[in-house]
Amino acid sequence: MGVVAGLPMAERADDRDGLRLDRLHVPLGPALPDWPAGLVLHLELQGDVVQRAEVEAVPAPSPSGPAFWNEPWLRAMAGDPVTVGEAARRRCAAHLDSLGRLLGVAGWREAATRARVARDRALDGAPGAEFQSLIRPLARRVRRSWTLRWLTAGVGEQAGVQPGGDVHGRLIAWLDGLEQALDHVDDRDRLTAHHPVGPRGRLDTQVPPSQALLDALPGLLEGTEFACARLIVASLDPDLDELAVQHVPGAHGHG
């Protein structure tokens, strides 16, 4: 493959329909709007179809603490006193952060902004009643949007994987988790460390949840149209901070 001014030249190869089309190599990331920080995708395109995808995770600077979105559960695993409400707020904020990213990629900017405002209020410790008044109307609008359903249903479908299975299913799973956590944001009971489940999955396993999400990406992207690729990435929304060594006693480290 030739290179001009540091950019790879297009080559030709057979596509899935047996046509000879240019094969373009396109990198995405690590810093794009509404993009998981530190993620790089190396895509091979023919026309607007992704023929091959490789994932690269740009190493983050050495963290001084646990992954932000998993912090309450990791601290509870280390024996620190953490309330159920603290974990519920962090889960709500994490799902709102992911929701804002996906809505932004889908082009629904006004709803994405509302999700981010609610995320910030969750992290600021807004009273439960105020927080619920921000979340529930937004969740209803997103659930009822036929345009969003039409755009995301059947895209990036994973067979036999829960929750969901496609972009829309994963979106609904966030809303379900968000609304369930919403009922516990003022709970002062102590969080137990048994079977800790963070916003992206179980935290007491050898493989962090986001590693499984990254492993799934190439298979989901290959064969899809380029316009769908970013929706799929946003619907998985891997947190690359989970891949860094966690400075919490009792938590598994991953490099």
Side-chain angles (χ1 to χ4, degrees), residues 4-238:
V4 175
L7 300 175
M9 296 290 292
E11 296 177 297
R12 286 196 165 188
D14 292 336
D15 79 341
R16 61 185 179 185
D17 298 320
L19 302 175
R20 296 286 291 178
L21 295 176
D22 286 344
R23 188 172 58 186
L24 300 175
H25 299 264
V26 178
L28 295 179
L32 290 171
D34 300 316
W35 184 260
L39 174 64
V40 180
L41 286 181
H42 299 279
L43 302 182
E44 186 176 297
L45 300 174
Q46 282 185 296
D48 61 350
V49 176
V50 176
Q51 298 293 346
R52 195 164 65 89
E54 292 184 359
V55 172
E56 177 186 356
V58 175
S62 181
S64 57
F68 178 77
W69 294 120
N70 295 335
E71 183 185 8
W73 296 273
L74 295 177
R75 285 175 47 217
M77 290 169 65
D80 290 349
V82 178
T83 68
V84 172
E86 185 179 350
R89 283 181 181 275
R90 193 62 60 91
R91 186 182 304 281
C92 287
H95 288 331
L96 286 165
D97 188 67
S98 298
L99 181 63
R101 195 167 292 119
L102 178 54
L103 293 174
V105 172
W108 197 357
R109 294 292 173 185
E110 180 263 343
T113 299
R114 287 179 179 271
R116 288 167 177 145
V117 168
R119 174 202 60 194
D120 293 345
R121 293 299 293 145
L123 296 175
D124 288 343
E130 176 196 331
F131 190 41
Q132 292 191 18
S133 70
L134 290 173
I135 298 302
R136 297 206 185 279
L138 173 64
R140 281 197 297 271
R141 287 186 65 195
V142 174
R143 285 184 188 278
R144 294 174 180 173
S145 173
W146 282 102
T147 301
L148 190 62
R149 180 186 293 271
W150 172 80
L151 188 66
T152 57
V155 176
E157 192 163 7
Q158 285 180 287
V161 175
Q162 293 295 328
D166 58 11
V167 170
H168 191 263
R170 292 188 280 273
L171 168 67
I172 294 301
W174 283 339
L175 294 177
D176 290 344
L178 175 61
E179 293 186 299
Q180 290 168 11
L182 199 57
D183 295 329
H184 301 284
V185 294
D186 292 327
D187 191 332
R188 306 299 300 172
D189 291 341
R190 182 163 176 168
L191 181 70
T192 64
H194 300 297
H195 307 302
V197 180
R200 290 171 174 80
R202 289 281 296 267
L203 301 178
D204 55 349
T205 62
Q206 292 296 323
V207 180
S210 287
Q211 183 61 61
L213 298 176
L214 292 173
D215 292 343
L217 261 179
L220 289 176
L221 294 176
E222 290 171 6
T224 65
E225 295 181 355
F226 182 71
C228 296
R230 289 205 58 182
L231 284 172
I232 294 171
V233 172
S235 73
L236 295 182
D237 197 25

